[in-house]
Amino acid sequence: MSGSETTLRVAIIGAGNIAERVHASFYHASPDTELVGVCDNRPEQAQTFANKYGCAAFDDVDTMLSTLRPDVVSVCSPNRFHYQHVLAALAAGCHVMCEKPPAMTPQEADDMRQAARKAGRLLAYDFHHRFALDVQLLREQVAAGTLGEVYVTNARALRRCGVPGWGVFTNKALQGGGPLIDIGIHMLDAALFVLGFPAVKCVTAHSFQKLGTTKNSGQFGAWDPASYTVEDALFATLEFHNGGILRLETSFALNIPEQSIMNVQFCGDKAGGTLFPAHIYHDEAGELVTLMQRDAADDLRHFRSMTAFVDAVKGSPVALADAEQGYQIQRLVQAIYDAAEQGVTVAL
Ligand SMILES: NC(=O)c1ccc[n+]([C@@H]2O[C@H](COP(=O)([O-])OP(=O)(O)OC[C@H]3O[C@@H](n4cnc5c(N)ncnc54)[C@H](O)[C@@H]3O)[C@@H](O)[C@H]2O)c1
């Protein structure tokens, strides 16, 4: 990319839900970008999407990349294809914004970070929650010592009955897993970001498949229980080298009273903090005292994540959820699945 006055030409791979809701809407509205093409293995889906956004439609990634030669590519295909699509876009000289999770395995995420380094291109992942102002506030205050030593963190990405009724989210071969790799990974990323990515010593976990294979509909539509091959609930504990622990609870379906919970609590020896909305508090003689608070959770996190990526491509020194951190998160996801599936403590 040459200068900040240049409009970035963008292409999208995977013309589904997130491509439309976040990526195309952002690129279409931004004065810094022009959406020039979209690729989907379902030609009709690509064409409908292209008609809506006034861009070219393709059903083959390599043809789109060689025909359009975009500056930037958003990878919004199912998890199984992130690896090949990111590598193809990097090989074509593009900067890449890839949807989460980075890939299916740590080996793939490692190859992807090395490919980005070798190509001299940015590879960012859309861990958008960390771009919420709430997360930024908690990160600043944890780094400044307001909470003291944070020794217990509770991250929760729970749905009572929220199995996705679209896409391939219940198919382990195409998705890599269930709620952990889909929504738990978001709160894991946000928690680690706030904590400053402390080194993990070991992981234990338990996963369950109780409701996804017996129920067939919920708040996000219907699914086929006979082809439900991912976990529906998972509970993990990460032990850090600094002595602290992070407990992660995540579910697509679990008999809890709330319809959904996406939040993280940090417990320090000086104060505690809740992420959404940001709230920092401590106890004075048995009374809860608020030290800092945002009135409502920031709902512009996707917009901020995309803006940060485009600004970084244009040369601004902004922090991204980068290929290195993507690899670290993917290693943890794998360790959690290994711990749950093998019933062992996994050391890192
Ligand atoms: N950041 C977030 O909050 C968030 C939210 C939703 C989804 N996602 C991620 O986005 C990705 C897609 O999810 P979605 O909800 O949009 O799913 P989706 O099923 O709605 O969309 C995926 C699209 O990719 C297309 N596709 C499948 N295989 C392809 C291939 N080989 N080449 C090109 N296109 C292909 C499908 O036809 C479909 O149109 C997943 O990785 C998911 O984890 C992220």
Side-chain angles (χ1 to χ4, degrees), residues 11 13 60-70 73 85 88-89 92 94:
I13 302 174
D60 179 76
V61 170
D62 292 331
T63 307
M64 177 173 78
L65 294 173
S66 59
T67 306
L68 298 180
R69 307 193 71 76
V73 166
H85 292 157
C94 306

Side-chain angles (χ1 to χ4, degrees), residues 112-134:
M112 289 152 84
R113 73 175 171 162
Q114 288 188 38
R117 206 178 298 146
K118 205 166 146 201
R121 293 291 183 268
L122 289 179
L123 168 57
Y125 297 111
D126 189 25
F127 285 116
H128 63 285
H129 293 280
R130 69 158 79 174
F131 290 89
L133 297 180
D134 311 80

Side-chain angles (χ1 to χ4, degrees), residues 13-19 21 39-42 45 61 76-79 81-82 84-85 99-101 126 128-129 166-169 175 182 186 302:
I13 302 174
N17 168 47
I18 200 71
R21 205 159 48 81
C39 176
D40 200 287
N41 65 331
R42 296 180 293 161
Q45 179 72 11
V61 170
C76 302
S77 47
N79 301 351
F81 304 106
H82 288 185
Q84 70 193 60
H85 292 157
E99 266 306 333
K100 47 49 66 175
D126 189 25
H128 63 285
H129 293 280
W166 73 93
V168 299
F169 293 88
Q175 182 69 5
D182 188 39
H186 272 310
H302 260 308

Side-chain angles (χ1 to χ4, degrees), residues 7-266:
T7 301
L8 295 166
R9 299 173 69 255
V10 183
I12 293 178
I13 302 174
N17 168 47
I18 200 71
E20 167 135 34
R21 205 159 48 81
V22 172
H23 297 252
S25 336
F26 178 85
Y27 294 133
H28 195 62
S30 168
D32 294 324
T33 54
E34 181 192 0
L35 184 56
V36 293
V38 65
C39 176
D40 200 287
N41 65 331
R42 296 180 293 161
E44 283 173 20
Q45 179 72 11
Q47 194 57 59
T48 306
F49 198 99
N51 291 346
K52 180 160 180 189
Y53 291 98
C55 64
F58 296 83
D59 60 11
D60 179 76
V61 170
D62 292 331
T63 307
M64 177 173 78
L65 294 173
S66 59
T67 306
L68 298 180
R69 307 193 71 76
D71 303 302
V72 164
V73 166
S74 267
V75 173
C76 302
S77 47
N79 301 351
R80 168 78 179 74
F81 304 106
H82 288 185
Y83 177 70
Q84 70 193 60
H85 292 157
V86 165
L87 290 190
L90 289 171
C94 306
H95 299 283
V96 182
M97 168 59 105
C98 177
E99 266 306 333
K100 47 49 66 175
M104 299 281 277
T105 65
Q107 184 61 56
E108 287 183 353
D110 190 20
D111 289 352
M112 289 152 84
R113 73 175 171 162
Q114 288 188 38
R117 206 178 298 146
K118 205 166 146 201
R121 293 291 183 268
L122 289 179
L123 168 57
Y125 297 111
D126 189 25
F127 285 116
H128 63 285
H129 293 280
R130 69 158 79 174
F131 290 89
L133 297 180
D134 311 80
V135 179
Q136 307 286 335
L137 177 69
L138 259 297
R139 172 67 201 133
E140 280 163 23
Q141 295 307 317
V142 166
T146 306
L147 281 73
E149 178 193 342
V150 180
Y151 54 95
V152 176
T153 298
N154 291 315
R156 298 197 291 175
L158 295 168
R159 293 180 188 156
R160 187 175 65 231
C161 196
V163 176
W166 73 93
V168 299
F169 293 88
T170 60
N171 179 330
K172 189 164 184 180
L174 293 174
Q175 182 69 5
L180 170 62
I181 206 164
D182 188 39
I183 55 176
I185 198 169
H186 272 310
M187 291 301 104
L188 178 63
D189 177 73
L192 291 172
F193 178 80
V194 167
L195 294 171
F197 277 86
V200 178
K201 188 171 147 194
C202 60
V203 173
T204 53
H206 294 84
S207 69
F208 298 91
Q209 194 191 58
K210 300 282 186 190
L211 304 177
T213 49
T214 53
K215 298 181 75 143
N216 67 2
S217 66
Q219 57 173 305
F220 296 127
W223 70 92
D224 174 15
S227 54
Y228 187 99
T229 52
V230 298
E231 84 278 6
D232 53 32
L234 184 146
F235 305 84
T237 302
L238 280 57
E239 231 178 285
F240 297 115
H241 278 288
N242 67 17
I245 61 165
L246 184 157
R247 296 192 305 198
L248 177 65
E249 302 180 3
T250 185
S251 67
F252 276 164
L254 185 68
N255 281 316
I256 53 172
E258 300 87 352
Q259 192 165 32
S260 135
I261 304 173
M262 288 287 270
N263 219 331
V264 187
Q265 279 179 340
F266 302 90

